Amino acid sequence: MPKNIFSRVQSRSLTRHHKIAMAGVATLGAAAIGFSAVPSGASTKTTTEAAQPAAVAYSTQQIKDVKASVTDQMAGASLKAEQIAAKKKAEAAAAAKKKAAAEAAKKKAEAERKAKEAASRAAKRAAAKKAAVKTYPNNLDGWIRESLAILKKHDIPASYDGIHRNIMRESSGNPKAINNWDINAINGIPSKGLLQVIPPTFKTWHVPGTSWDIYDPVANITAACNYAADKYGSMDNVDSAY
């Protein structure tokens, strides 16, 4: 016996009804879409002409705005770079100035140090020179030798023997000797000292650097030799009262 007869018949009936219903719904939907797509008062005339593509409008203002923005950005970047460069330049100049000042201070300190050392050396040399100044014994030999050193500085000729010989004849080596009996004494200007020099002669032929005391041994010898050099050529040429 066949199975499910009713079920197959019912299935075909439903399918046919469904198709009819679906076709109607599709027709009504298409119509509704068509009417809604047509503007109010517009013609419903169909045309086979293809729709022309809409023209695209381009604006040069946007390009200008972009270009201006890029230019501004570049100008800003350039300004910033210039500011950085200026800052670096200023910093370099300040560093160079500071370095130059430090070097100048260093040179000044070095110059001062050298000057101080030079002054110290000069002071030491002066002290050494002072210490090295030749000294002479306080006796006849010392007086003659010291006088000869002074005479040499002034280019006044004399010898140790010539001076010593005349001293022994005139005063026997007594620096305080004085002649109170000759013509000079009678005239009020007695001869004095080692070489018996009268005051006017001592004053006239006094040698700079020696004492103005006529009884000073070195001053007396030096003035007498200066006088003898002018009158006799040298004390060596004097063998008697002069």
Side-chain angles (χ1 to χ4, degrees):
M1 183 177 179
K3 296 180 179 181
N4 298 326
I5 297 174
F6 292 103
S7 63
R8 286 196 293 268
V9 173
Q10 187 177 6
S11 177
R12 286 195 299 269
S13 298
L14 288 173
T15 301
R16 188 180 302 117
H17 286 300
H18 289 162
K19 291 179 178 179
I20 293 171
M22 290 172 65
V25 172
T27 303
L28 291 174
I33 291 171
F35 282 110
S36 63
V38 177
S40 177
S43 174
T44 58
K45 181 179 180 180
T46 60
T47 176
T48 58
E49 295 179 0
Q52 298 296 322
V56 179
Y58 296 95
S59 174
T60 59
Q61 183 61 39
Q62 294 179 350
I63 297 173
K64 290 180 180 179
D65 292 342
V66 172
K67 183 177 180 181
S69 177
V70 172
T71 302
D72 291 342
Q73 291 178 5
M74 292 178 65
S78 177
L79 179 61
K80 186 175 181 180
E82 290 177 357
Q83 291 175 343
I84 292 172
K87 184 178 179 181
K88 288 183 177 179
K89 185 177 181 180
E91 290 175 349
K97 185 177 180 180
K98 185 177 180 181
K99 183 178 180 182
E103 290 179 351
K106 184 177 179 181
K107 289 181 179 179
K108 183 179 179 181
E110 182 66 14
E112 290 177 350
R113 182 186 66 79
K114 289 182 177 180
K116 187 176 181 180
E117 289 179 353
S120 178
R121 287 193 297 269
K124 288 179 180 178
R125 286 194 298 269
K129 185 177 180 180
K130 185 177 181 180
V133 172
K134 190 173 182 178
T135 57
Y136 301 89
N138 188 27
N139 55 34
L140 182 57
D141 178 72
W143 301 331
I144 295 174
R145 292 186 183 282
E146 186 174 355
S147 179
L148 284 170
I150 296 171
L151 292 169
K152 184 177 181 180
K153 289 181 180 179
H154 293 275
D155 296 322
I156 300 172
S159 69
Y160 185 96
D161 291 337
I163 295 173
H164 186 272
R165 183 181 71 251
N166 282 284
I167 286 176
M168 295 311 291
R169 186 188 69 252
E170 295 291 338
S171 66
S172 299
N174 179 11
K176 297 297 182 180
I178 182 171
N179 186 329
N180 290 316
W181 55 267
D182 65 4
I183 186 62
N184 291 321
I186 294 173
N187 292 331
I189 49 172
S191 302
K192 300 176 180 180
L194 290 174
L195 284 171
Q196 293 293 285
V197 182
I198 60 175
T201 301
F202 177 80
K203 184 177 180 180
T204 301
W205 300 98
H206 174 266
V207 177
T210 62
S211 173
W212 281 96
D213 181 4
I214 195 171
Y215 288 107
D216 179 84
V218 176
N220 188 280
I221 294 171
T222 309
C225 288
N226 192 23
Y227 166 73
D230 181 73
K231 189 172 182 179
Y232 303 103
S234 172
M235 181 61 75
D236 296 351
N237 300 327
V238 178
D239 292 314
S240 61
Y242 60 106

